[in-house]
Structure formats: C-alpha cells, structure tokens
Amino acid sequence: MVTLPQPQLPKEIADLYALALDLRWTWSHEGDALWSCVDEDLWERTHNPWTVLQSAPAERLKSLASDQDFQAKLAAFVSERQKYLQSPGSFHSLEGASQLNGVAYFSMEFGLGAALPLYAGGLGVLAGDFLKAASDLDVPVVGIGLLYQEGYFRQLVDGNGMQQEFYPYNEPAAMPVEPVILPEDGWLRIGLELPGRVVQLRVWQATVGRVKLYLLDSNDMLNSPLDRGITAKLYGGGSEIRLMQEIVLGVGGWRVVEALHPEIEICHVNEGHAAFAVIERARHLALKNNLDFWEAMWATRAGNVFTTHTPVAAGFDRFPADLLRKYLPYVEGAVAARGVKLDDVLALGRANPHDHDEPFNMAFLAQRGSAVTLAVSRLHGEVSRHIFQPLFPRWPSCEVPIAHVTNGVHIPTWDSAGADRVWTKSCGKERWRSASCKDSEPIAGVSDEELWAMRGEGRQRVVHIARAHLARQLRERGADAETVQSADNVLDPNVLTLGFARRFTEYKRPNLLLSNLSRLDDLLHNSMRPVQIVVAGKAHPADTVGKEMIKEWISLARQARYRRHVVFLEDYDISVAQELVQGVDVWINTPRRPWEACGTSGMKVLVNGGLNCSTLDGWWDEAYTPEVGWSIGDGAGGASEDVDLLDAASLYDVLENKVIPEFYDRDVEGLPRAWLNRIRQSMGRLTPVFSGARMLHDYIGQAYLPLAKAIRARQKDHCADAKAMNQWSRTLHRRWPSLHIGNPMITRTETACRLVVPIYLGEVSPASVRVELFADATAEYEPEAVLLHQEHAIPGSTNGYVFAGAVTGSRPLEDYTVRVVPFHPNAFLPAELPLIAWQH
C-alpha cells in the first residue's frame, strides 16, 4: 500500500484538512481569504487549498495555530460549511423525494476543477457540474470514475504555431483525493477478472460538498506493469486498452457501488463508456437471487438510465467481437448454468443480434440495458432517434424511445464576483440551490448602471488575465524582456470583446471567422467601433486538421498588425474557461448543425451578462429568440462547402450590422441601453433554464423517481414481476410470427371515419398487444396513434378478433396504417421489446 503524506496540522487548525479536501471550494469562495492567509503567493498561483496546505512550512502552520484572527476566520468557515452540509436541500421538498434511495452516476471523465485533471472536455465538465448541482440540491448521488495517472494532455504551442502535447503525472498525494479505508479491511480494492489474472483496483474518493466521487485506479504494485497502465491515460492507447478502461469503469465501478452503497437503485450511465455496468449489475443480481441472466436484466433494467452525448453514429465506441469474447468470459461462467451463452449477451451490443462478427457497440448496449435513454438537447433528441433507429426495425423514428434532458451548467462555478453580487441582490443568496430562480422582470431591482459596471469589471479582468497568460507563454518560449513586456499592451478593457474557446475540430468550424480576412481586418481596426478576440482551445493529438486550425489563429495573433487585437491563450482548461466566460461580451459558436449535441460553453456566459452569437445547433436551437442574442445562418445546416460559405457571410453580417452597432450605441450617460436590455433578457430568461439545478430536476422527474418506483416493483417478492415479464417477452418473441393483420373496412360519416379490421393473433394472447391506427408526421400533421378496441371474436377463427375505432378531423385517411404492438402495463415500450407488426 502506498503511504500518502498528509499535512501535519496543529490541533487548533486541524479543520483545515477536511476543508482542503472538500472540492466545494471550486465554487464556493467563502474560504478564499482563509487560504490566502496561509500562503498568499501560492494561493494566487494555484487557487488550490490542498496544494497550499501541503506546501505550507511547519513554522507557518504553527504561527497560524496561535493567530486568534485566523482561528476566528477558520471557525466561521467551518460553521458555514456545516450549515451547508446539514441543511436539507431543495430536493427534499419534491413530491416523492423520499422514494429515491440513491443514484450512481458513471462517467469516463469528471471536470471538477484544475486541481483534479480527470477530464478532456465538455463531457467531463458536464459530469463535474452534475455532481456539484447534486450537492447543492442534496440529491443522493455518488459519482463513479477513474483516477488517471496522466489524465488528458497539457498544451504548448511551439515557435511554428503547432500544438505540442505533454502529459504531466497526476500524483495522487498532490490531488484532493483520499483512499477509501474500510474499518476492518483497510484500503478498499476491487478484484476484476481479466484473461488469466485478477487485477486489483484501488478505490479513492473525492469529496464534492455532500457528494462522494469514487475513483478506480489500477496503478497498484500488486498488478503487472501492463495492468498498472490500464488507468494511465484518459482516452489513451489502442482499442484493447480502451476496452479494459471501460471494463474497469463499468464492471469495477458497479462493484464499488455494491461494496459501499448497496442501497442505490438508479444506475446512470453518462455516455456509453460505462455501459458494462448494466451487464455487471444484472450478473450480480443473478448470482445473488438465483436468477438467469435475462430475468436479472428485466429486474435491473428498470433502474438504469443512459444519457447519450454523441450526434453521429461514428462517434460510438465499437470493439471487435473477438476482443469481447476474450475479455468478458466471466459473464458466461456466472450465468451459463442457466443456459445463457456469452454470444447471447454480446448481442445486446449489435444492431443485428444474429451477426456474430458485427463490432460490439457500447451505446447499443447502454440503450438496450436501460429503461430510459435521454439525449442532451431537444435537437439532439431528434438526431438520436435516427441514430438508434437500427435497434427498432420498422418503428417510426419519432417513436424510437429517446427523450431529452437539455444539459445545464453549475452556475456558481462559472459566475464572477460581480455577477454574484448582482444575482444576490435580485434573487437572494440561495438562488442556485433550487430550480425556481425565475423572475417576471429579469434581474429585478438591478439598475442599468449596476449591470454595465459588472460588465466593465468582467471585461477588465479578462484583459488582465489574457495579458498575464500571454506574458507567461512568451517567457516560457524564451522571448526577450521587451517582447514579454509587450503583452501588457494587448487588448483594451473598453473594447467589444468576442470570445471563442472549445475543442478545435472540423465540425466546430473554429476558423469560420478567418474565412474573410479583409472583413475581419475591418472589424478589428475600426477606429470608432473596434473589436477584439480572445481564442483558446485544444485539438485531439491525432487531429491534424484541428492542429492546423490552431496554427492559423496563432499565425494571425503573432502578426504585428493583429497582436493587440487577437490573443490565443494556450492550454485551455477549466481555469481558463472560468476567466473567459466571466469577461467576454459575446460568445461565438459556429458548429455545423446538427453536429453539436448540446454544447454548454455558451451557457456559462449567461450568468455573467455575456451574450451568445451562434448557429442554431445544440442548446441554442431551443434557447434562441431575437431578444436574447443572435443566430448565424438560416438553420438549415449540413456539411457542404456552400453551407460554410453562407454561414461565414452570415456571421460577418450579424457582427457588422447588429452586434457591433448595438454595443457602441450609447446615450448621453454613456450607456448602451439596447445592449443592456438584451443582457437583462438573456440573464433573466436563460440563466435559470440552462442551470444545473434545472437539469437535475428534469432527471429526477423524467427518470430517477419513476424508475425507482419501477425497479422496486420488479424486484419485490424475489423478483417475481421480473421473472414474469421475462417469460412474457420470451413468449411474445417466439409467437410473434404467427400474428397477421387482415384487410380493414372503412365507413365514412359526416364527422368521422370508422374503421374495422380483423386481427388474427395466432398464438399471441390478446392481453399482450395493442392494435392501433398510426399516422406518421407530415409537413401539416404531427404523428398520431389511435387505439382500436376489440369488438368481438371472428366466428370460425382461432384467436381472431375484430378491432374497431374512428378518426376525426381533416387528416387524409391514407396517412393511417393499422399496426399491432406489444403491451404490458409495467414495461417500458418499445425500449424493452421493440416488436411491431404492420398491415403492410
């Protein structure tokens, strides 16, 4: 076992240890002055209490222990934290809240702060915001992730403008995590069966306010060098290493849940990486309750939620079938005695269950193993229903069972000190600890002068940060003193500041603003209405196109003509993002529609009075109205060169004719009243709607509470309902081919069309099906399903019945088709049984 050094604290200040390990300091700044007292210089450089505490000399700690003023500050902060931890959150005021025993939230990455670099981008930052919001609302959630030795890369741009990647080691002792120690067994280790050996996974925990994040790590001396490297690098290595990471996350992660929180009923898989958790959960229950694997799947699936973040099918993780057969034999060994083969289980990850050579798709496994699947925006829901269509053959895409919960951001993580003052005056201090901070008058009680002062303060800070960041970049590249000092002259705190920061990849089109350098030059150098741009972002190490895009921006920013107007900030991470979103005036976003599943960077400027200018993709497709920001393009989308040209022209038009004039249109008091009104509308109307609190409430209402009720029903009386539903499903599968639909007869009246149709159910029970008239969506009409009722048996037939019903309205009867679908009052259909039969 590794011995982890801990700060040796005098008993008078021993509370600092727990405070430093609680990542609530990433969003709650009551203790900032306290940590600054410990070591002001180190605090300013790191903003990491754990580092400050570990690095403090013993003499300094001894001095603080006898400092009465410091002890008073410490006592006040401890009291404030205890109040936060012990006061019930708004979750407990929800109807049915007591019925939720717990949620395990699985994610390949978590972005909680720069001090815990276990994230690559938006997926991880979203997962971090999810845990923070759960803490604020007091939702019973635990996180499950991996502790990477290297995490994602750090970025350096060389003298040629090319991105270089570096992978600093994540020393666990230097991060705010601690081992999970059991009273009798010591450090918790999870055994994981891999070919020919059992890998030992150490379990760590990070404290996120009221929430625990459990992290698995294979870097244990008990393992071979190969196995110690499984959790070495986030998204590193080839297909086999990636598969082992996902087995560690899903299988090992669920074993952590069983070891520490057996009361948990909801398993939330955040993207398909953790989908093996649904297999391990079923396997565990099968062994515990003497069930076969499919009975256990029916018993556990009702408690599984899958959030898909991928807007293109090619983005799903896929693995060769033979690789799965190599790494998952333990499943077959555990359940084969009840007649289940490994290939039957692997069929869960194939579009065609009978194609044994089809690659195994993790998203397909997650969807088939979950009762509820959710996309991350309204538009992404539409896209996802088409992507998952192969799992629901012959079902209309509009009925593919994928709804959506639009992502939200944890507002206190992203708001500036000035924004915090404004919102506190308008909505009170507890405003983001519920989903109810909504005013009829946006930002009520805050004057235009106060709003503009807040924006000026934010812009001044982002200019200061950009200058300091640029100076450091220049020093580290070996620039002379005069060049380093020139960084003090870039940007102007009184000039309209555009921000653009995200992953550099082709579909995000980060270089759309560079498509017409003449128009860009005019924007930047207009003496009466100048513009400046702050850019940041990384490209995937293997994305040469993305790296070339970065090089283009670097080339522009290094030219003497643009050096004061364009700044590229290297090594984009959460810390840089926080500074940018608090200060820029307009956030630019240019993805190709509909390839941005949601995107949350633009949400983070809302609380700070920043405005959005974006293509109508992801969250902005549902947020945009002309009063709150600007749209780019016509919303048609697509990937052609013509679309790119049109969107680029639209972006310049919007900036030249709308954004810039409105910012510089000042009254006699020097205030841009129209701009401030737009800020007021954007802040007041959008910030609460796209908050993490709203997101959590949606998950609770759409998934957690309904599924908690469902899984209890299925597992009651030794899983009696689950066994019966498994048998119902098997019987319907076997007998479905015996069903067929006769020719309908139609009778028209002045007000309706009555339809009767013979249905020959063969061996299928009438109670197991519904007969419907279905009409798909058209340009004029929404999709519609009309239930037909059973009138009488058909004389002389075997299990044949006449079904009848009527349709009213002006819709053409030709739109409708008779169909038969499964029915069970307690099943999630068609998610759990996608059978369907059509008249033709």
Side-chain angles (χ1 to χ4, degrees):
M1 182 185 297
V2 177
T3 301
L4 301 179
Q6 296 181 358
Q8 299 301 309
L9 301 176
K11 67 179 188 309
E12 293 87 353
I13 58 172
D15 286 331
L16 286 174
Y17 183 80
L19 295 176
L21 282 174
D22 185 350
L23 286 159
R24 182 168 170 257
W25 50 257
T26 61
W27 76 90
S28 176
H29 300 289
E30 296 118 332
D32 288 2
L34 187 76
W35 299 113
S36 183
C37 287
V38 178
D39 189 324
E40 183 176 3
D41 179 62
L42 191 57
W43 171 249
E44 283 302 314
R45 285 193 287 125
T46 68
H47 285 276
N48 182 343
W50 187 241
T51 299
V52 170
L53 199 58
Q54 285 188 313
S55 304
E59 283 301 313
R60 177 58 179 159
L61 296 175
K62 184 178 179 181
S63 170
L64 291 172
S66 60
D67 184 329
Q68 296 298 315
D69 182 55
F70 182 82
Q71 288 188 39
K73 290 179 182 178
L74 175 59
F77 188 32
V78 169
S79 175
E80 179 65 28
R81 178 171 180 259
Q82 287 304 114
K83 179 182 176 183
Y84 172 85
L85 295 176
Q86 295 172 4
S87 301
S90 64
F91 166 73
H92 295 284
S93 65
L94 298 178
E95 183 178 353
S98 62
Q99 300 302 305
L100 183 62
N101 286 338
V103 178
Y105 183 83
F106 288 72
S107 185
M108 194 76 165
E109 45 179 299
F110 284 91
L112 290 156
L116 199 60
L118 307 177
Y119 63 95
L123 179 70
V125 175
L126 182 280
D129 278 12
F130 181 96
L131 295 189
K132 294 173 184 178
S135 174
D136 282 348
L137 272 61
D138 200 11
V139 184
V141 168
V142 300
I144 305 290
L146 302 182
L147 184 68
Y148 302 98
Q149 282 91 8
E150 293 181 354
Y152 205 52
F153 72 89
R154 307 312 299 250
Q155 179 194 56
L156 181 144
V157 178
D158 65 21
N160 297 318
M162 288 301 294
Q163 170 184 290
Q164 304 296 326
E165 299 89 28
F166 294 88
Y167 294 87
Y169 179 66
N170 286 339
E171 171 57 55
M175 296 192 292
V177 298
E178 54 188 337
V180 174
I181 306 297
L182 300 181
E184 296 181 359
D185 300 323
W187 196 343
L188 176 61
R189 285 179 168 86
I190 299 296
L192 183 67
E193 305 87 347
L194 293 181
R197 78 275 196 197
V198 176
V199 175
Q200 297 298 319
L201 304 171
R202 303 183 299 188
V203 184
W204 305 76
Q205 68 180 13
T207 299
V208 188
R210 292 186 255 229
V211 169
K212 294 293 185 184
L213 167 60
Y214 297 106
L215 300 164
L216 295 106
D217 134 58
S218 66
N219 188 25
D220 191 319
M221 293 299 293
L222 298 175
N223 297 325
S224 70
L226 170 65
D227 291 335
R228 291 179 65 189
I230 293 174
T231 57
K233 188 178 295 186
L234 172 60
Y235 302 138
S239 180
E240 191 159 356
I241 289 291
R242 181 71 165 263
L243 175 62
M244 285 192 282
Q245 286 188 341
E246 297 190 5
I247 292 171
V248 169
L249 177 61
V251 177
W254 187 256
R255 292 181 184 180
V256 171
V257 174
E258 291 289 351
L260 298 176
H261 294 279
E263 76 283 359
I264 279 178
E265 295 170 319
I266 305 300
C267 171
H268 188 159
V269 176
N270 187 43
E271 194 49 279
H273 310 120
F276 288 125
V278 305
I279 290 180
E280 174 61 15
R281 185 180 194 184
R283 187 195 73 89
H284 184 273
L285 188 70
L287 295 176
K288 179 182 176 182
N289 285 18
N290 193 29
L291 307 172
D292 78 25
F293 180 80
W294 301 112
E295 290 171 341
M297 276 295 290
W298 276 94
T300 57
R301 182 166 47 209
N304 297 337
V305 185
F306 169 42
T307 296
T308 173
H309 293 256
T310 307
V312 290
F316 294 142
D317 279 357
R318 292 178 173 84
F319 298 103
D322 287 343
L323 202 57
L324 269 293
R325 295 187 186 102
K326 174 182 176 181
Y327 278 94
L328 292 183
Y330 84 97
V331 176
E332 188 172 38
V335 297
R338 302 295 299 271
V340 178
K341 302 291 187 184
L342 178 59
D343 271 329
D344 295 334
V345 177
L346 297 186
L348 292 168
R350 305 187 190 113
N352 179 1
H354 306 294
D355 182 356
H356 294 263
D357 296 320
E358 180 184 331
F360 186 89
N361 187 311
M362 294 295 288
F364 287 180
L365 169 63
Q367 196 285 325
R368 284 197 174 116
S370 301
V372 171
T373 297
L374 296 162
V376 291
S377 70
R378 182 180 63 197
L379 180 59
H380 182 232
E382 297 173 15
V383 171
S384 296
R385 285 187 281 276
H386 289 281
I387 292 176
F388 285 92
Q389 179 78 61
L391 303 191
F392 299 88
R394 305 198 71 198
W395 278 86
S397 61
C398 64
E399 292 187 305
V400 171
I402 298 176
H404 75 276
V405 167
T406 301
N407 286 340
V409 298
H410 181 248
I411 302 298
T413 294
W414 305 103
D415 66 350
S416 67
D420 181 67
R421 290 193 298 271
V422 165
W423 281 98
T424 299
K425 181 176 182 180
S426 177
C427 295
K429 193 171 179 60
E430 303 294 313
R431 61 196 174 275
W432 305 125
R433 295 182 190 173
S434 72
S436 59
C437 182
K438 297 177 182 178
D439 289 301
S440 56
E441 181 184 348
I443 317 299
V446 178
S447 69
D448 280 357
E449 288 76 9
E450 289 172 295
L451 277 182
W452 193 234
M454 177 198 76
R455 290 299 312 134
E457 180 184 314
R459 199 180 311 105
Q460 289 171 30
R461 177 159 177 80
V462 82
V463 168
H464 171 75
I465 293 296
R467 289 172 176 174
H469 200 103
L470 180 60
R472 186 174 70 251
Q473 292 171 197
L474 292 170
R475 279 195 303 271
E476 292 173 354
R477 280 206 300 271
D480 58 53
E482 183 179 354
T483 302
V484 172
Q485 190 172 2
S486 70
D488 290 339
N489 299 318
V490 303
L491 305 181
D492 182 333
N494 293 308
V495 166
L496 173 63
T497 304
L498 310 182
F500 183 100
R502 60 190 44 83
R503 181 163 56 95
F504 272 62
T505 191
E506 190 175 13
Y507 86 84
K508 290 181 180 284
R509 302 184 297 181
N511 289 19
L512 206 61
L513 259 176
L514 300 179
S515 61
N516 190 326
L517 286 178
S518 174
R519 291 180 80 173
L520 179 60
D521 188 271
D522 290 343
L523 294 181
L524 298 175
H525 293 99
N526 186 315
S527 60
M528 300 300 295
R529 302 187 308 188
V531 175
Q532 57 195 14
I533 306 172
V534 183
V535 183
K538 297 177 177 179
H540 186 279
D543 187 351
T544 55
V545 174
K547 289 183 178 182
E548 286 295 329
M549 291 176 172
I550 289 175
K551 186 177 180 180
E552 282 189 66
W553 275 108
I554 294 291
S555 175
L556 185 77
R558 288 180 179 175
Q559 293 178 38
R561 179 167 176 77
Y562 299 104
R563 193 170 294 144
R564 297 184 62 176
H565 308 278
V566 179
V567 175
F568 186 95
L569 303 182
E570 294 176 20
D571 201 26
Y572 181 50
D573 65 1
I574 285 180
S575 296
V576 173
Q578 286 174 316
E579 300 292 355
L580 285 180
V581 301
Q582 291 175 10
V584 299
D585 294 297
V586 179
W587 195 257
I588 305 292
N589 193 27
T590 54
R592 288 194 183 104
R593 176 188 168 100
W595 290 9
E596 184 91 289
C598 181
T600 58
S601 61
M603 298 179 189
K604 293 158 189 166
V605 306
L606 298 173
V607 68
N608 299 298
L611 299 170
N612 281 272
C613 179
S614 173
T615 50
L616 292 174
D617 199 9
W619 77 283
W620 193 239
D621 182 65
E622 58 195 87
Y624 169 73
T625 62
E627 299 81 23
V628 298
W630 301 274
S631 66
I632 300 167
D634 60 7
S640 71
E641 186 176 339
D642 289 343
V643 171
D644 290 349
L645 291 173
L646 288 171
D647 284 354
S650 173
L651 173 57
Y652 281 112
D653 289 343
V654 170
L655 290 174
E656 292 166 350
N657 301 318
K658 297 180 180 179
V659 176
I660 298 170
E662 188 171 295
F663 181 85
Y664 286 106
D665 180 18
R666 311 294 170 88
D667 65 9
V668 293
E669 296 178 355
L671 296 178
R673 299 291 182 179
W675 186 273
L676 287 166
N677 183 61
R678 191 180 297 272
I679 287 176
R680 196 179 291 277
Q681 295 296 322
S682 172
M683 289 181 74
R685 288 165 51 180
L686 300 186
T687 308
V689 174
F690 294 97
S691 69
R694 188 274 312 154
M695 175 179 65
L696 257 293
H697 273 262
D698 285 356
Y699 274 119
I700 292 163
Q702 291 190 41
Y704 298 162
L705 289 180
L707 294 189
K709 181 179 179 181
I711 194 170
R712 283 184 199 147
R714 290 197 188 181
Q715 295 190 7
K716 195 169 91 173
D717 299 328
H718 304 288
C719 303
D721 278 5
K723 293 176 184 177
M725 294 174 82
N726 177 57
Q727 187 58 47
W728 166 80
S729 171
R730 287 173 176 271
T731 301
L732 264 189
H733 262 292
R734 187 174 65 252
R735 297 178 177 178
W736 198 257
S738 69
L739 179 157
H740 69 276
I741 301 169
N743 292 320
M745 293 182 292
I746 300 168
T747 305
R748 301 177 187 269
T749 68
E750 290 184 4
T751 58
C753 289
R754 174 176 165 77
L755 179 143
V756 296
V757 59
I759 304 292
Y760 301 92
L761 295 175
E763 299 175 323
V764 175
S765 166
S768 295
V769 297
R770 285 184 185 273
V771 180
E772 298 173 338
L773 266 183
F774 177 79
D776 209 343
T778 67
E780 295 182 60
Y781 298 99
E782 295 293 317
E784 181 182 5
V786 178
L787 180 64
L788 303 183
H789 62 273
Q790 180 183 320
E791 287 209 327
H792 58 78
I794 300 174
S797 70
T798 301
N799 209 21
Y801 301 89
V802 169
F803 285 78
V807 293
T808 59
S810 59
R811 184 166 195 161
L813 198 59
E814 293 75 23
D815 285 1
Y816 295 91
T817 307
V818 178
R819 69 181 188 182
V820 181
V821 297
F823 172 73
H824 191 291
N826 300 321
F828 294 88
L829 298 172
E832 296 190 285
L833 187 59
L835 297 174
I836 194 167
W838 293 91
Q839 173 194 342
H840 53 72

mmCIF file of all heavy atoms in Angstrom, residues 389-409:
data_model
loop_
_atom_site.group_PDB
_atom_site.id
_atom_site.type_symbol
_atom_site.label_atom_id
_atom_site.label_comp_id
_atom_site.label_asym_id
_atom_site.label_seq_id
_atom_site.Cartn_x
_atom_site.Cartn_y
_atom_site.Cartn_z
ATOM 1 N N GLN A 389 -32.263 4.226 -34.651
ATOM 2 C CA GLN A 389 -33.313 3.572 -35.422
ATOM 3 C C GLN A 389 -33.014 2.097 -35.722
ATOM 4 O O GLN A 389 -33.926 1.256 -35.689
ATOM 5 C CB GLN A 389 -33.528 4.330 -36.737
ATOM 6 C CG GLN A 389 -34.592 3.740 -37.654
ATOM 7 C CD GLN A 389 -36.005 4.075 -37.209
ATOM 8 O OE1 GLN A 389 -36.362 5.224 -37.149
ATOM 9 N NE2 GLN A 389 -36.782 3.058 -36.883
ATOM 10 N N PRO A 390 -31.754 1.707 -36.018
ATOM 11 C CA PRO A 390 -31.494 0.290 -36.304
ATOM 12 C C PRO A 390 -31.876 -0.666 -35.184
ATOM 13 O O PRO A 390 -32.094 -1.859 -35.444
ATOM 14 C CB PRO A 390 -29.978 0.265 -36.557
ATOM 15 C CG PRO A 390 -29.650 1.641 -37.032
ATOM 16 C CD PRO A 390 -30.563 2.540 -36.256
ATOM 17 N N LEU A 391 -31.965 -0.180 -33.962
ATOM 18 C CA LEU A 391 -32.369 -1.056 -32.854
ATOM 19 C C LEU A 391 -33.879 -1.236 -32.788
ATOM 20 O O LEU A 391 -34.367 -2.072 -32.009
ATOM 21 C CB LEU A 391 -31.876 -0.486 -31.523
ATOM 22 C CG LEU A 391 -30.365 -0.239 -31.372
ATOM 23 C CD1 LEU A 391 -30.028 0.054 -29.923
ATOM 24 C CD2 LEU A 391 -29.567 -1.412 -31.887
ATOM 25 N N PHE A 392 -34.610 -0.486 -33.604
ATOM 26 C CA PHE A 392 -36.077 -0.533 -33.582
ATOM 27 C C PHE A 392 -36.590 -0.688 -35.009
ATOM 28 O O PHE A 392 -37.260 0.204 -35.550
ATOM 29 C CB PHE A 392 -36.629 0.733 -32.909
ATOM 30 C CG PHE A 392 -36.185 0.869 -31.488
ATOM 31 C CD1 PHE A 392 -34.991 1.512 -31.180
ATOM 32 C CD2 PHE A 392 -36.913 0.298 -30.458
ATOM 33 C CE1 PHE A 392 -34.553 1.603 -29.875
ATOM 34 C CE2 PHE A 392 -36.489 0.386 -29.149
ATOM 35 C CZ PHE A 392 -35.296 1.035 -28.849
ATOM 36 N N PRO A 393 -36.262 -1.820 -35.643
ATOM 37 C CA PRO A 393 -36.649 -2.006 -37.042
ATOM 38 C C PRO A 393 -38.154 -1.904 -37.228
ATOM 39 O O PRO A 393 -38.929 -2.452 -36.456
ATOM 40 C CB PRO A 393 -36.131 -3.415 -37.364
ATOM 41 C CG PRO A 393 -35.889 -4.073 -36.046
ATOM 42 C CD PRO A 393 -35.562 -2.999 -35.088
ATOM 43 N N ARG A 394 -38.516 -1.132 -38.240
ATOM 44 C CA ARG A 394 -39.899 -0.904 -38.658
ATOM 45 C C ARG A 394 -40.665 0.049 -37.731
ATOM 46 O O ARG A 394 -41.824 0.358 -37.984
ATOM 47 C CB ARG A 394 -40.666 -2.226 -38.825
ATOM 48 C CG ARG A 394 -40.005 -3.217 -39.775
ATOM 49 C CD ARG A 394 -40.974 -4.281 -40.231
ATOM 50 N NE ARG A 394 -41.964 -3.721 -41.146
ATOM 51 C CZ ARG A 394 -43.133 -4.302 -41.437
ATOM 52 N NH1 ARG A 394 -43.466 -5.439 -40.842
ATOM 53 N NH2 ARG A 394 -43.968 -3.746 -42.280
ATOM 54 N N TRP A 395 -40.024 0.526 -36.667
ATOM 55 C CA TRP A 395 -40.659 1.541 -35.835
ATOM 56 C C TRP A 395 -40.416 2.917 -36.450
ATOM 57 O O TRP A 395 -39.313 3.201 -36.937
ATOM 58 C CB TRP A 395 -40.094 1.519 -34.408
ATOM 59 C CG TRP A 395 -40.724 0.477 -33.544
ATOM 60 C CD1 TRP A 395 -40.361 -0.829 -33.449
ATOM 61 C CD2 TRP A 395 -41.846 0.650 -32.665
ATOM 62 N NE1 TRP A 395 -41.174 -1.492 -32.568
ATOM 63 C CE2 TRP A 395 -42.099 -0.612 -32.071
ATOM 64 C CE3 TRP A 395 -42.653 1.740 -32.330
ATOM 65 C CZ2 TRP A 395 -43.134 -0.795 -31.152
ATOM 66 C CZ3 TRP A 395 -43.676 1.547 -31.414
ATOM 67 C CH2 TRP A 395 -43.920 0.297 -30.834
ATOM 68 N N PRO A 396 -41.409 3.788 -36.447
ATOM 69 C CA PRO A 396 -41.177 5.156 -36.929
ATOM 70 C C PRO A 396 -40.111 5.837 -36.080
ATOM 71 O O PRO A 396 -40.057 5.630 -34.858
ATOM 72 C CB PRO A 396 -42.544 5.838 -36.749
ATOM 73 C CG PRO A 396 -43.535 4.730 -36.588
ATOM 74 C CD PRO A 396 -42.800 3.584 -35.983
ATOM 75 N N SER A 397 -39.289 6.653 -36.700
ATOM 76 C CA SER A 397 -38.202 7.290 -35.951
ATOM 77 C C SER A 397 -38.738 8.169 -34.822
ATOM 78 O O SER A 397 -38.092 8.298 -33.770
ATOM 79 C CB SER A 397 -37.323 8.115 -36.889
ATOM 80 O OG SER A 397 -38.067 9.145 -37.504
ATOM 81 N N CYS A 398 -39.905 8.745 -35.012
ATOM 82 C CA CYS A 398 -40.458 9.610 -33.965
ATOM 83 C C CYS A 398 -40.817 8.831 -32.703
ATOM 84 O O CYS A 398 -41.005 9.421 -31.634
ATOM 85 C CB CYS A 398 -41.679 10.368 -34.476
ATOM 86 S SG CYS A 398 -43.079 9.318 -34.910
ATOM 87 N N GLU A 399 -40.942 7.497 -32.807
ATOM 88 C CA GLU A 399 -41.300 6.682 -31.652
ATOM 89 C C GLU A 399 -40.111 5.902 -31.087
ATOM 90 O O GLU A 399 -40.286 5.131 -30.142
ATOM 91 C CB GLU A 399 -42.431 5.721 -32.018
ATOM 92 C CG GLU A 399 -43.751 6.418 -32.285
ATOM 93 C CD GLU A 399 -44.885 5.431 -32.471
ATOM 94 O OE1 GLU A 399 -44.760 4.539 -33.338
ATOM 95 O OE2 GLU A 399 -45.891 5.555 -31.754
ATOM 96 N N VAL A 400 -38.937 6.067 -31.695
ATOM 97 C CA VAL A 400 -37.749 5.484 -31.079
ATOM 98 C C VAL A 400 -37.631 6.103 -29.684
ATOM 99 O O VAL A 400 -37.659 7.333 -29.537
ATOM 100 C CB VAL A 400 -36.499 5.770 -31.935
ATOM 101 C CG1 VAL A 400 -35.230 5.356 -31.202
ATOM 102 C CG2 VAL A 400 -36.606 5.025 -33.272
ATOM 103 N N PRO A 401 -37.535 5.273 -28.640
ATOM 104 C CA PRO A 401 -37.732 5.776 -27.267
ATOM 105 C C PRO A 401 -36.528 6.531 -26.706
ATOM 106 O O PRO A 401 -35.845 6.081 -25.784
ATOM 107 C CB PRO A 401 -38.005 4.496 -26.472
ATOM 108 C CG PRO A 401 -37.248 3.448 -27.219
ATOM 109 C CD PRO A 401 -37.355 3.812 -28.665
ATOM 110 N N ILE A 402 -36.282 7.704 -27.269
ATOM 111 C CA ILE A 402 -35.229 8.575 -26.767
ATOM 112 C C ILE A 402 -35.816 9.965 -26.569
ATOM 113 O O ILE A 402 -36.204 10.633 -27.534
ATOM 114 C CB ILE A 402 -34.030 8.626 -27.718
ATOM 115 C CG1 ILE A 402 -33.412 7.223 -27.854
ATOM 116 C CG2 ILE A 402 -32.983 9.622 -27.213
ATOM 117 C CD1 ILE A 402 -32.284 7.133 -28.825
ATOM 118 N N ALA A 403 -35.918 10.375 -25.327
ATOM 119 C CA ALA A 403 -36.378 11.729 -24.989
ATOM 120 C C ALA A 403 -35.135 12.598 -24.782
ATOM 121 O O ALA A 403 -34.038 12.249 -25.236
ATOM 122 C CB ALA A 403 -37.255 11.672 -23.747
ATOM 123 N N HIS A 404 -35.279 13.712 -24.121
ATOM 124 C CA HIS A 404 -34.101 14.541 -23.878
ATOM 125 C C HIS A 404 -34.222 15.282 -22.556
ATOM 126 O O HIS A 404 -35.323 15.610 -22.111
ATOM 127 C CB HIS A 404 -33.879 15.549 -25.017
ATOM 128 C CG HIS A 404 -34.833 16.712 -25.000
ATOM 129 N ND1 HIS A 404 -36.087 16.647 -25.562
ATOM 130 C CD2 HIS A 404 -34.718 17.967 -24.468
ATOM 131 C CE1 HIS A 404 -36.701 17.802 -25.390
ATOM 132 N NE2 HIS A 404 -35.901 18.628 -24.730
ATOM 133 N N VAL A 405 -33.077 15.485 -21.939
ATOM 134 C CA VAL A 405 -32.905 16.448 -20.854
ATOM 135 C C VAL A 405 -31.765 17.354 -21.299
ATOM 136 O O VAL A 405 -30.621 16.912 -21.402
ATOM 137 C CB VAL A 405 -32.569 15.766 -19.510
ATOM 138 C CG1 VAL A 405 -32.089 16.802 -18.505
ATOM 139 C CG2 VAL A 405 -33.774 15.022 -18.970
ATOM 140 N N THR A 406 -32.082 18.581 -21.602
ATOM 141 C CA THR A 406 -31.049 19.503 -22.068
ATOM 142 C C THR A 406 -30.046 19.766 -20.941
ATOM 143 O O THR A 406 -30.427 19.985 -19.793
ATOM 144 C CB THR A 406 -31.677 20.828 -22.526
ATOM 145 O OG1 THR A 406 -32.602 20.548 -23.584
ATOM 146 C CG2 THR A 406 -30.614 21.792 -23.037
ATOM 147 N N ASN A 407 -28.784 19.693 -21.301
ATOM 148 C CA ASN A 407 -27.732 19.933 -20.312
ATOM 149 C C ASN A 407 -27.894 21.298 -19.651
ATOM 150 O O ASN A 407 -28.505 22.214 -20.214
ATOM 151 C CB ASN A 407 -26.350 19.864 -20.962
ATOM 152 C CG ASN A 407 -25.933 18.445 -21.293
ATOM 153 O OD1 ASN A 407 -26.465 17.481 -20.743
ATOM 154 N ND2 ASN A 407 -24.970 18.306 -22.185
ATOM 155 N N GLY A 408 -27.302 21.429 -18.490
ATOM 156 C CA GLY A 408 -27.235 22.708 -17.793
ATOM 157 C C GLY A 408 -25.881 22.832 -17.127
ATOM 158 O O GLY A 408 -25.140 21.851 -17.014
ATOM 159 N N VAL A 409 -25.545 24.018 -16.682
ATOM 160 C CA VAL A 409 -24.246 24.240 -16.052
ATOM 161 C C VAL A 409 -24.443 24.636 -14.595
ATOM 162 O O VAL A 409 -25.466 25.219 -14.219
ATOM 163 C CB VAL A 409 -23.434 25.315 -16.801
ATOM 164 C CG1 VAL A 409 -23.148 24.874 -18.218
ATOM 165 C CG2 VAL A 409 -24.134 26.672 -16.803
#
